[in-house]
Coordinates of all heavy atoms in Angstrom, one line a residue:
M731 N 112.5 91.4 95.3 CA 112.9 92.7 94.9 C 111.8 93.4 94.0 O 111.3 92.7 93.1 CB 114.2 92.7 94.2 CG 114.8 94.1 94.0 SD 116.5 93.9 93.3 CE 116.8 95.6 93.0
A732 N 111.5 94.6 94.3 CA 110.5 95.3 93.5 C 111.0 95.4 92.0 O 112.2 95.5 91.8 CB 110.2 96.7 94.0
D733 N 110.1 95.4 91.1 CA 110.4 95.4 89.7 C 110.0 96.7 89.0 O 108.8 97.0 88.9 CB 109.7 94.2 89.0 CG 110.1 94.0 87.6 OD1 110.7 95.0 87.0 OD2 109.7 93.0 87.0
N734 N 111.0 97.5 88.6 CA 110.6 98.8 88.1 C 110.0 98.8 86.7 O 109.7 99.8 86.1 CB 111.8 99.8 88.1 CG 112.9 99.4 87.2 OD1 112.8 98.5 86.4 ND2 114.0 100.2 87.3
T735 N 109.9 97.6 86.1 CA 109.2 97.4 84.8 C 107.8 97.1 85.1 O 107.0 96.9 84.1 CB 109.9 96.3 83.9 OG1 109.7 95.1 84.5 CG2 111.3 96.6 83.7
H736 N 107.4 96.9 86.3 CA 106.0 96.6 86.7 C 105.5 97.6 87.7 O 104.7 97.3 88.6 CB 105.9 95.2 87.3 CG 106.0 94.1 86.2 ND1 105.0 93.5 85.7 CD2 107.1 93.6 85.6 CE1 105.4 92.6 84.8 NE2 106.7 92.7 84.8
K737 N 105.8 98.9 87.6 CA 105.3 99.9 88.4 C 103.8 100.1 88.2 O 103.3 100.1 87.1 CB 106.0 101.3 88.1 CG 107.4 101.3 88.4 CD 108.0 102.7 88.1 CE 109.5 102.8 88.3 NZ 110.0 104.2 88.0
L738 N 103.1 100.3 89.3 CA 101.7 100.6 89.2 C 101.6 102.0 88.5 O 102.3 102.9 88.9 CB 101.0 100.6 90.5 CG 100.9 99.2 91.2 CD1 100.5 99.3 92.6 CD2 99.9 98.3 90.4
P739 N 100.6 102.2 87.6 CA 100.6 103.5 86.9 C 100.2 104.6 87.7 O 100.5 105.8 87.4 CB 99.5 103.2 85.8 CG 98.7 102.0 86.3 CD 99.7 101.2 87.1
E740 N 99.5 104.4 88.9 CA 99.1 105.5 89.7 C 100.3 106.2 90.5 O 100.1 107.3 91.0 CB 98.1 105.1 90.8 CG 96.7 104.8 90.2 CD 96.6 103.4 89.7 OE1 97.6 102.7 89.5 OE2 95.4 103.0 89.5
N741 N 101.4 105.5 90.6 CA 102.5 106.1 91.3 C 102.9 107.5 90.8 O 103.0 107.6 89.6 CB 103.8 105.2 91.2 CG 103.7 103.9 92.0 OD1 103.7 103.9 93.2 ND2 103.7 102.8 91.3
V742 N 103.0 108.4 91.7 CA 103.4 109.8 91.2 C 104.8 109.7 90.6 O 105.6 108.9 91.1 CB 103.3 110.7 92.4 CG1 104.4 110.5 93.4 CG2 103.4 112.2 91.9
P743 N 105.1 110.4 89.6 CA 106.5 110.3 88.9 C 107.6 110.5 89.9 O 107.5 111.4 90.8 CB 106.4 111.3 87.8 CG 105.0 111.5 87.5 CD 104.3 111.3 88.8
G744 N 108.6 109.7 89.8 CA 109.8 109.9 90.7 C 110.4 108.5 90.9 O 109.9 107.5 90.4
P745 N 111.5 108.5 91.7 CA 112.2 107.2 91.9 C 111.4 106.1 92.7 O 111.6 104.9 92.5 CB 113.5 107.6 92.7 CG 113.1 108.9 93.3 CD 112.1 109.6 92.4
W746 N 110.6 106.5 93.7 CA 109.9 105.5 94.5 C 108.6 105.0 93.9 O 107.9 105.8 93.3 CB 109.6 106.1 95.9 CG 110.9 106.3 96.7 CD1 111.8 107.3 96.7 CD2 111.4 105.3 97.6 NE1 112.8 107.0 97.6 CE2 112.6 105.8 98.2 CE3 111.0 104.0 98.1 CZ2 113.4 105.1 99.1 CZ3 111.7 103.3 99.0 CH2 112.9 103.9 99.5
Y747 N 108.4 103.7 94.0 CA 107.2 103.2 93.4 C 106.7 101.9 94.1 O 107.5 101.3 94.9 CB 107.5 102.8 91.9 CG 108.6 101.7 91.8 CD1 108.2 100.4 91.7 CD2 109.9 102.1 91.7 CE1 109.2 99.4 91.6 CE2 110.9 101.2 91.6 CZ 110.6 99.8 91.5 OH 111.6 98.9 91.5
V748 N 105.5 101.5 93.9 CA 105.0 100.2 94.3 C 104.8 99.4 93.0 O 104.3 100.0 92.0 CB 103.7 100.3 95.1 CG1 103.1 98.9 95.4 CG2 103.8 101.2 96.3
D749 N 105.2 98.2 93.0 CA 104.9 97.4 91.7 C 103.6 96.6 91.9 O 102.9 96.6 92.9 CB 106.2 96.6 91.4 CG 106.4 95.3 92.2 OD1 105.5 94.9 93.0 OD2 107.5 94.8 92.2
D750 N 103.4 95.8 90.8 CA 102.1 95.1 90.8 C 102.0 93.8 91.6 O 101.0 93.1 91.4 CB 101.7 94.9 89.3 CG 102.7 94.0 88.5 OD1 103.6 93.5 89.2 OD2 102.5 93.9 87.3
T751 N 102.9 93.6 92.5 CA 102.8 92.4 93.4 C 102.2 92.8 94.7 O 102.0 91.9 95.5 CB 104.2 91.8 93.6 OG1 105.0 92.8 94.3 CG2 104.9 91.4 92.3
C752 N 101.8 94.0 94.9 CA 101.2 94.4 96.2 C 99.9 93.7 96.4 O 99.0 93.6 95.4 CB 100.9 95.9 96.1 SG 99.9 96.5 97.5
T753 N 99.6 93.1 97.6 CA 98.5 92.2 97.8 C 97.1 92.9 98.0 O 96.1 92.3 97.5 CB 98.8 91.3 99.0 OG1 99.4 92.0 100.1 CG2 99.7 90.2 98.5
P754 N 96.8 93.9 98.8 CA 97.6 94.7 99.7 C 97.4 94.3 101.1 O 96.3 94.1 101.6 CB 97.0 96.1 99.4 CG 95.6 95.8 99.2 CD 95.5 94.4 98.6
C755 N 98.5 94.3 101.9 CA 98.4 93.9 103.3 C 98.3 95.1 104.2 O 98.0 94.9 105.4 CB 99.6 93.1 103.7 SG 101.1 94.1 103.6
R756 N 98.6 96.2 103.7 CA 98.5 97.6 104.3 C 99.5 97.9 105.4 O 99.5 99.0 105.9 CB 97.0 97.8 104.8 CG 96.8 97.4 106.3 CD 95.5 98.0 106.8 NE 95.3 99.4 106.8 CZ 95.9 100.2 107.6 NH1 96.7 99.8 108.6 NH2 95.7 101.5 107.5
V757 N 100.4 97.0 105.7 CA 101.4 97.4 106.7 C 102.2 98.6 106.4 O 102.6 99.4 107.3 CB 102.3 96.2 107.1 CG1 101.5 95.0 107.7 CG2 103.2 95.7 106.0
C758 N 102.5 98.8 105.1 CA 103.3 100.0 104.7 C 102.6 101.3 105.0 O 103.2 102.3 105.2 CB 103.7 99.9 103.3 SG 102.2 99.9 102.2
L759 N 101.2 101.3 105.1 CA 100.5 102.5 105.3 C 100.7 103.0 106.8 O 100.6 104.2 107.0 CB 99.0 102.3 105.1 CG 98.6 101.9 103.7 CD1 97.1 101.6 103.5 CD2 99.1 102.9 102.7
D760 N 101.0 102.1 107.7 CA 101.4 102.5 109.0 C 102.8 103.2 109.1 O 103.0 104.0 109.9 CB 101.4 101.3 110.0 CG 100.0 100.7 110.2 OD1 99.0 101.5 110.0 OD2 99.9 99.5 110.5
E761 N 103.6 102.8 108.1 CA 105.0 103.4 108.1 C 105.0 104.7 107.4 O 105.8 105.6 107.7 CB 105.9 102.4 107.4 CG 106.1 101.1 108.1 CD 106.7 101.2 109.5 OE1 107.5 102.1 109.7 OE2 106.4 100.4 110.4
A762 N 104.3 104.8 106.3 CA 104.4 106.0 105.5 C 103.0 106.5 105.0 O 102.8 106.6 103.8 CB 105.3 105.7 104.3
P763 N 102.1 106.9 105.9 CA 100.8 107.3 105.5 C 100.9 108.7 104.7 O 99.9 109.0 104.0 CB 100.0 107.5 106.8 CG 101.1 107.7 107.8 CD 102.2 106.9 107.4
Q764 N 102.0 109.4 104.9 CA 102.1 110.7 104.2 C 102.6 110.5 102.7 O 102.7 111.5 102.0 CB 103.1 111.6 105.0 CG 104.6 111.1 105.0 CD 104.9 110.1 106.0 OE1 104.4 109.0 106.1 NE2 105.9 110.4 106.8
L765 N 102.9 109.2 102.3 CA 103.4 109.0 101.0 C 102.6 108.0 100.2 O 102.5 108.0 99.0 CB 104.8 108.4 101.1 CG 105.9 109.2 101.9 CD1 107.2 108.5 102.0 CD2 106.1 110.6 101.2
L766 N 102.0 107.0 100.9 CA 101.3 105.9 100.3 C 99.8 105.9 100.6 O 99.4 106.3 101.7 CB 101.9 104.6 100.9 CG 103.3 104.3 100.5 CD1 104.0 103.3 101.5 CD2 103.4 103.7 99.1
K767 N 99.0 105.4 99.7 CA 97.6 105.3 100.0 C 97.0 104.2 99.0 O 97.6 103.8 98.1 CB 96.8 106.6 99.8 CG 96.8 107.1 98.4 CD 95.9 108.4 98.3 CE 95.8 108.9 96.9 NZ 95.1 110.2 96.9
Y768 N 95.8 103.8 99.4 CA 95.1 102.8 98.6 C 94.6 103.4 97.3 O 94.3 104.6 97.2 CB 93.8 102.3 99.3 CG 94.0 101.3 100.4 CD1 93.6 101.5 101.7 CD2 94.5 100.0 100.0 CE1 93.7 100.5 102.6 CE2 94.6 99.0 101.0 CZ 94.2 99.3 102.3 OH 94.3 98.3 103.2
N769 N 94.5 102.6 96.3 CA 93.7 103.0 95.1 C 92.2 103.0 95.5 O 91.8 102.6 96.6 CB 94.0 102.0 93.9 CG 93.5 100.6 94.2 OD1 93.5 100.1 95.3 ND2 93.2 99.9 93.1
D770 N 91.3 103.4 94.6 CA 89.9 103.6 94.9 C 89.2 102.4 95.4 O 88.4 102.4 96.3 CB 89.2 104.2 93.7 CG 89.5 105.6 93.4 OD1 90.1 106.3 94.3 OD2 89.2 106.1 92.3
D771 N 89.5 101.2 94.8 CA 88.8 100.0 95.3 C 89.7 99.1 96.2 O 89.4 98.0 96.5 CB 88.3 99.1 94.1 CG 89.4 98.8 93.1 OD1 90.6 99.2 93.4 OD2 89.1 98.1 92.1
E772 N 90.8 99.7 96.7 CA 91.6 99.1 97.8 C 92.2 97.8 97.4 O 92.2 96.8 98.2 CB 90.8 99.1 99.1 CG 90.4 100.4 99.6 CD 89.9 100.4 101.0 OE1 89.7 99.4 101.6 OE2 89.6 101.5 101.5
T773 N 92.6 97.7 96.1 CA 93.2 96.4 95.7 C 94.7 96.5 95.7 O 95.4 95.5 95.5 CB 92.7 96.1 94.3 OG1 92.9 97.2 93.4 CG2 91.3 95.7 94.3
Y774 N 95.3 97.7 95.9 CA 96.7 97.9 96.0 C 97.0 99.3 96.6 O 96.0 100.1 96.7 CB 97.5 97.7 94.7 CG 96.9 98.5 93.6 CD1 97.2 99.8 93.4 CD2 96.1 97.9 92.6 CE1 96.7 100.5 92.3 CE2 95.6 98.6 91.5 CZ 95.9 99.9 91.4 OH 95.4 100.7 90.4
V775 N 98.2 99.5 96.9 CA 98.6 100.9 97.4 C 99.6 101.4 96.4 O 100.3 100.7 95.6 CB 99.2 100.9 98.8 CG1 98.2 100.3 99.8 CG2 100.5 100.2 98.9
Y776 N 99.8 102.7 96.4 CA 100.8 103.4 95.5 C 101.3 104.7 96.2 O 100.7 105.2 97.1 CB 100.1 103.7 94.2 CG 99.0 104.7 94.2 CD1 99.2 106.0 93.9 CD2 97.7 104.3 94.6 CE1 98.2 107.0 94.0 CE2 96.7 105.2 94.6 CZ 96.9 106.5 94.4 OH 95.9 107.4 94.4
F777 N 102.4 105.2 95.6 CA 102.9 106.5 96.1 C 102.2 107.6 95.5 O 102.2 107.8 94.3 CB 104.4 106.6 95.7 CG 105.4 105.9 96.6 CD1 105.7 104.5 96.4 CD2 105.9 106.5 97.7 CE1 106.6 103.9 97.3 CE2 106.8 105.9 98.6 CZ 107.1 104.6 98.4
F778 N 101.5 108.4 96.3 CA 100.8 109.6 95.8 C 101.7 110.8 96.0 O 101.4 111.9 95.5 CB 99.5 109.8 96.6 CG 99.6 110.1 98.0 CD1 99.7 111.4 98.5 CD2 99.6 109.1 99.0 CE1 99.8 111.8 99.8 CE2 99.7 109.4 100.3 CZ 99.8 110.7 100.8
K779 N 102.8 110.6 96.7 CA 103.8 111.6 96.9 C 105.2 111.0 97.0 O 105.3 110.0 97.7 CB 103.5 112.4 98.2 CG 104.4 113.5 98.5 CD 104.2 114.1 99.9 CE 105.0 115.4 100.2 NZ 106.5 115.1 100.0
Q780 N 106.2 111.6 96.4 CA 107.5 111.1 96.5 C 108.1 111.7 97.8 O 107.8 112.8 98.2 CB 108.4 111.7 95.3 CG 108.1 111.0 94.0 CD 108.5 109.5 94.0 OE1 109.6 109.2 94.5 NE2 107.7 108.7 93.3
P781 N 109.0 110.9 98.5 CA 109.6 111.4 99.8 C 110.5 112.6 99.5 O 111.2 112.7 98.6 CB 110.4 110.2 100.3 CG 110.6 109.3 99.1 CD 109.4 109.5 98.2
E782 N 110.3 113.6 100.5 CA 111.2 114.8 100.5 C 111.7 114.9 101.9 O 111.0 114.9 102.8 CB 110.4 116.0 100.1 CG 109.9 116.0 98.6 CD 109.1 117.2 98.4 OE1 107.9 117.2 98.6 OE2 109.6 118.2 97.9
G783 N 113.0 115.1 102.0 CA 113.6 115.3 103.3 C 113.9 114.0 104.0 O 113.4 112.9 103.6
E784 N 114.6 114.1 105.1 CA 115.1 112.9 105.8 C 114.0 112.1 106.4 O 114.0 110.9 106.3 CB 116.1 113.3 106.9 CG 117.5 113.7 106.3 CD 118.5 114.0 107.4 OE1 118.2 113.5 108.6 OE2 119.4 114.7 107.2
D785 N 113.0 112.8 107.0 CA 111.9 112.0 107.7 C 111.1 111.2 106.6 O 110.8 110.0 106.9 CB 111.0 113.0 108.4 CG 111.7 113.5 109.7 OD1 112.8 113.0 110.0 OD2 111.1 114.4 110.3
E786 N 110.8 111.8 105.5 CA 109.9 111.1 104.6 C 110.8 110.0 103.9 O 110.2 109.0 103.5 CB 109.4 112.1 103.5 CG 108.3 113.0 104.1 CD 107.6 113.8 103.1 OE1 108.0 113.8 101.9 OE2 106.6 114.5 103.5
L787 N 112.0 110.3 103.6 CA 112.9 109.3 103.0 C 113.0 108.1 104.0 O 112.9 106.9 103.5 CB 114.3 109.8 102.7 CG 115.2 108.9 101.9 CD1 114.5 108.6 100.6 CD2 116.5 109.6 101.7
A788 N 113.1 108.3 105.3 CA 113.2 107.2 106.2 C 111.9 106.5 106.3 O 111.9 105.2 106.4 CB 113.5 107.8 107.6
A789 N 110.8 107.2 106.1 CA 109.5 106.5 106.1 C 109.3 105.6 104.9 O 108.8 104.5 105.0 CB 108.3 107.5 106.1
A790 N 109.8 106.1 103.7 CA 109.7 105.2 102.5 C 110.6 104.0 102.7 O 110.3 102.9 102.3 CB 110.2 106.1 101.3
E791 N 111.8 104.2 103.2 CA 112.7 103.1 103.4 C 112.1 102.1 104.4 O 112.3 100.8 104.2 CB 114.1 103.6 103.9 CG 114.8 104.3 102.8 CD 116.1 105.0 103.2 OE1 116.3 105.1 104.4 OE2 116.9 105.4 102.3
N792 N 111.5 102.6 105.5 CA 110.9 101.6 106.4 C 109.7 100.9 105.8 O 109.6 99.7 106.0 CB 110.4 102.4 107.6 CG 111.5 102.9 108.5 OD1 112.6 102.4 108.5 ND2 111.2 103.9 109.3
A793 N 108.9 101.6 105.0 CA 107.8 100.9 104.3 C 108.4 99.8 103.4 O 107.8 98.7 103.3 CB 107.0 101.9 103.5
S794 N 109.4 100.1 102.7 CA 110.0 99.1 101.8 C 110.6 97.9 102.5 O 110.4 96.8 102.1 CB 111.2 99.8 101.0 OG 111.8 98.9 100.1
A795 N 111.2 98.2 103.7 CA 111.8 97.1 104.5 C 110.7 96.2 105.1 O 111.0 95.0 105.2 CB 112.6 97.7 105.6
I796 N 109.6 96.7 105.4 CA 108.5 95.9 106.1 C 107.6 95.2 105.1 O 106.9 94.3 105.5 CB 107.7 96.9 107.0 CG1 107.1 96.0 108.2 CG2 106.6 97.6 106.3 CD1 106.5 96.9 109.2
C797 N 107.6 95.6 103.8 CA 106.7 95.0 102.9 C 107.0 93.5 102.7 O 108.1 93.2 102.2 CB 106.8 95.7 101.5 SG 105.8 95.0 100.2
P798 N 106.0 92.6 103.0 CA 106.3 91.2 102.9 C 106.4 90.7 101.4 O 106.9 89.6 101.2 CB 105.1 90.6 103.6 CG 104.0 91.6 103.5 CD 104.7 92.9 103.5
Q799 N 105.9 91.5 100.5 CA 105.9 91.1 99.1 C 107.1 91.7 98.3 O 107.3 91.5 97.1 CB 104.6 91.6 98.4 CG 103.4 91.1 99.0 CD 103.2 89.6 98.7 OE1 103.6 89.1 97.7 NE2 102.5 88.9 99.6
N800 N 107.9 92.6 99.0 CA 109.0 93.3 98.4 C 108.4 94.1 97.2 O 109.0 94.1 96.1 CB 110.1 92.4 97.9 CG 110.9 91.8 99.1 OD1 111.1 92.5 100.1 ND2 111.2 90.6 99.0
S801 N 107.3 94.7 97.4 CA 106.6 95.5 96.3 C 107.1 96.9 96.2 O 106.7 97.6 95.2 CB 105.1 95.5 96.5 OG 104.6 94.2 96.7
I802 N 107.8 97.4 97.2 CA 108.2 98.8 97.2 C 109.7 99.0 96.8 O 110.5 98.3 97.4 CB 107.9 99.4 98.6 CG1 106.5 99.3 98.9 CG2 108.4 100.9 98.6 CD1 106.1 99.8 100.4
G803 N 109.9 99.8 95.8 CA 111.3 100.0 95.4 C 111.6 101.4 95.0 O 110.7 102.3 95.0
N804 N 112.8 101.7 94.7 CA 113.2 103.0 94.1 C 114.3 102.8 93.1 O 115.0 101.8 93.1 CB 113.6 103.9 95.3 CG 115.0 103.6 95.8 OD1 116.0 104.0 95.2 ND2 115.0 103.0 97.0
D805 N 114.3 103.8 92.2 CA 115.3 103.7 91.1 C 116.7 104.3 91.5 O 117.5 104.5 90.6 CB 114.7 104.4 89.9 CG 113.5 103.7 89.3 OD1 113.5 102.4 89.4 OD2 112.7 104.3 88.7
G806 N 116.9 104.4 92.8 CA 118.2 104.8 93.2 C 118.6 106.3 93.1 O 119.7 106.7 93.3
A807 N 117.5 107.1 92.8 CA 117.8 108.5 92.7 C 117.9 109.2 94.1 O 117.4 108.6 95.1 CB 116.7 109.2 91.9
Ligands
SF4_1764 S1 103.4 96.4 102.5 FE1 103.8 95.8 100.4 S2 102.2 94.3 99.9 FE2 101.6 95.4 101.8 S3 100.2 97.0 101.1 FE3 102.3 97.9 101.2 S4 103.2 97.6 99.2 FE4 101.4 96.3 99.3

C-alpha cells in the first residue's frame, strides 16, 4: 500500500500521489500519461496533474491497480 508519509515532493498538490517506492517500471505511464510522468533523470514517476472527471479518475485508479510496487495512492478525497 502506498505510504502518504513518503510522497515524492514533485507530486502536484492533491489527493493522488506516487511514493518513494517507485522503481520506475513505467507501466503506469501507459495507463495515465495525462497525469503521470518521469522526473528529469527518469528515476521515478509522479503526478504532474491531479485527475479531474470520470475518465481521468479511472485512469488514476487503473494506474494504481497495475503498479507492481503499490507506489500509487490517494488520500481518499
Ligand atoms: S507502475 Fe508504480 S513502480 Fe512502476 S513506474 Fe508507475 S508508480 Fe513507479
Side-chain angles (χ1 to χ4, degrees):
M731 186 173 176
D733 182 348
N734 68 4
T735 67
H736 286 262
K737 293 180 183 180
L738 294 166
E740 287 90 342
N741 289 294
V742 69
W746 286 86
Y747 61 92
V748 179
D749 75 14
D750 60 7
T751 60
C752 173
T753 46
C755 67
R756 90 168 301 282
V757 296
C758 62
L759 299 179
D760 293 334
E761 298 294 331
Q764 69 275 60
L765 305 173
L766 293 157
K767 67 178 181 181
Y768 279 122
N769 65 330
D770 287 345
D771 56 1
E772 299 189 356
T773 52
Y774 52 79
V775 306
Y776 64 96
F777 278 88
F778 67 90
K779 181 185 185 305
Q780 291 289 323
E782 295 178 273
E784 287 184 19
D785 288 351
E786 289 188 354
L787 189 58
E791 289 172 346
N792 289 341
S794 178
I796 205 170
C797 176
Q799 303 289 330
N800 292 322
S801 304
I802 299 175
N804 74 78
D805 290 330

